[in-house]
């Protein structure tokens, strides 16, 4: 009975990471109206946007730290893995990263990083990308814990990107509502599955996986 509960803890930790991403909604809906008044986030001044990103980054950073630490102390699971991926895995994951970058460019009409740069000044661009850095941390945690959950249930390692599928059904699917665009949501859902596959191809090395997913997401 104890073992079964432990298996489901991995699933809950993946959902905790997803809920952590939702902390931004709490800031926008409750905290920031008290600070800035009832204005749309699209109408924020530069200062208000930076405050929003700083508070979000603080929340996401704290939640990431707690999920990694609690995984180690409560589940005896080392989230940060330094396994050595094969050359084939690195090559194939690189192809998937390029596919994501290409799809992003198709959606934006230009490389995402260039589009972000053109739409913001240096200060806003810098904070936007720091924000993305922390977002990817929680995205990766959903993949890691989701994959560990599925493999613990099956009691074996699996080539199926279960973590990516869970990411698709959470972070990916919610983009349909948060962005108000079915196309953006579908792109994000597809990216989610590819992120899970990148994690598998890189032999579950979290450092390499984080770098690859960050490049795929931000460029």
């Amino acid at each position: 009975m104890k073992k079964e509960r432990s298996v489901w803890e991995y699933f809950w930790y993946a959902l905790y990471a997803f809920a952590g991403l939702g902390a931004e909604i709490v800031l926008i809906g409750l905290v920031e109206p008290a600070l800035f008044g009832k204005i749309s986030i699209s109408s924020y001044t530069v200062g208000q946007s930076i405050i929003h990103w700083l508070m979000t980054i603080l929340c996401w950073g704290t939640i990431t730290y707690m999920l990694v630490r609690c995984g180690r102390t409560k589940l005896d699971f080392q989230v940060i893995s330094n396994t050595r991926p094969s050359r084939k895995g690195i090559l194939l994951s690189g192809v998937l990263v390029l596919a994501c970058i290409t799809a992003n460019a198709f959606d934006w009409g230009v490389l995402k990083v260039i589009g972000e740069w053109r739409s913001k000044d240096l200060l806003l661009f810098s904070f936007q990308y720091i924000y993305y850095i922390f977002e990817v941390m929680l995205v990766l945690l959903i993949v890691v814990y989701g994959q560990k959950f599925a493999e613990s249930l099956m009691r074996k390692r699996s080539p199926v990107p279960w973590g990516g599928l869970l990411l698709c059904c959470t972070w990916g699917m919610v983009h349909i509502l948060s962005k108000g665009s079915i196309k953006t949501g579908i792109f994000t859902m597809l990216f989610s599955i590819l992120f899970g596959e990148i994690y598998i191809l890189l032999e579950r090395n979290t450092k390499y996986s984080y770098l690859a997913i960050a490049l795929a997401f931000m460029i």
Side-chain angles (χ1 to χ4, degrees), residues 135-147:
E135 182 176 8
V136 173
M137 290 180 185
L138 286 173
V139 164
L140 179 58
L141 282 178
I142 297 173
V143 171
V144 172
Y145 277 114
Q147 190 70 31

Side-chain angles (χ1 to χ4, degrees), residues 8-23 60 63-64 66-67 70 74-75 138 141-142 145 166:
W8 280 92
E9 284 288 342
Y10 298 120
F11 176 75
W12 287 114
Y13 272 51
L15 293 188
Y16 294 155
F18 175 56
L21 289 169
W60 286 353
I63 293 167
T64 297
M66 293 302 298
L67 289 176
C70 289
K74 294 186 177 182
L75 304 181
L138 286 173
L141 282 178
I142 297 173
Y145 277 114
L166 181 59

Side-chain angles (χ1 to χ4, degrees), residues 28 31-40 44 48:
I28 295 172
V31 178
E32 290 170 18
L35 295 175
F36 310 143
K38 294 182 179 180
I39 59 174
S40 169
Y44 281 6
Q48 289 169 337

Side-chain angles (χ1 to χ4, degrees), residues 99-112:
C100 291
I101 292 173
T102 302
N104 253 335
F106 174 78
D107 187 35
W108 280 71
V110 69
L111 285 176
K112 178 179 178 178

Side-chain angles (χ1 to χ4, degrees), residues 105-200:
F106 174 78
D107 187 35
W108 280 71
V110 69
L111 285 176
K112 178 179 178 178
V113 65
I114 295 176
E116 294 278 20
W117 174 261
R118 288 176 177 173
S119 64
K120 298 175 177 67
D121 59 27
L122 177 59
L123 187 61
L124 286 177
F125 175 84
S126 300
F127 275 97
Q128 175 76 79
Y129 268 74
I130 295 171
Y131 165 94
Y132 283 154
I133 287 170
F134 280 83
E135 182 176 8
V136 173
M137 290 180 185
L138 286 173
V139 164
L140 179 58
L141 282 178
I142 297 173
V143 171
V144 172
Y145 277 114
Q147 190 70 31
K148 181 65 175 178
F149 165 67
E151 292 178 345
S152 296
L153 280 180
M154 295 182 291
R155 299 183 181 181
K156 65 179 182 179
R157 286 165 69 93
S158 172
V160 178
W162 296 108
L165 289 170
L166 181 59
L167 182 66
C168 171
C169 294
T170 52
W171 178 75
M173 192 172 292
V174 80
H175 271 71
I176 295 177
L177 299 175
S178 65
K179 299 298 183 181
S181 169
I182 294 177
K183 183 180 76 170
T184 299
I186 291 174
F187 266 118
T188 309
M189 291 169 71
L190 291 174
F191 284 3
S192 298
I193 297 172
L194 293 182
F195 293 169
E197 185 61 29
I198 287 171
Y199 178 65
I200 297 296

Side-chain angles (χ1 to χ4, degrees), residues 85-96:
S86 65
R87 291 183 179 179
K88 180 181 178 181
I90 293 174
L91 178 61
L92 290 176
S93 64
V95 171
L96 294 185

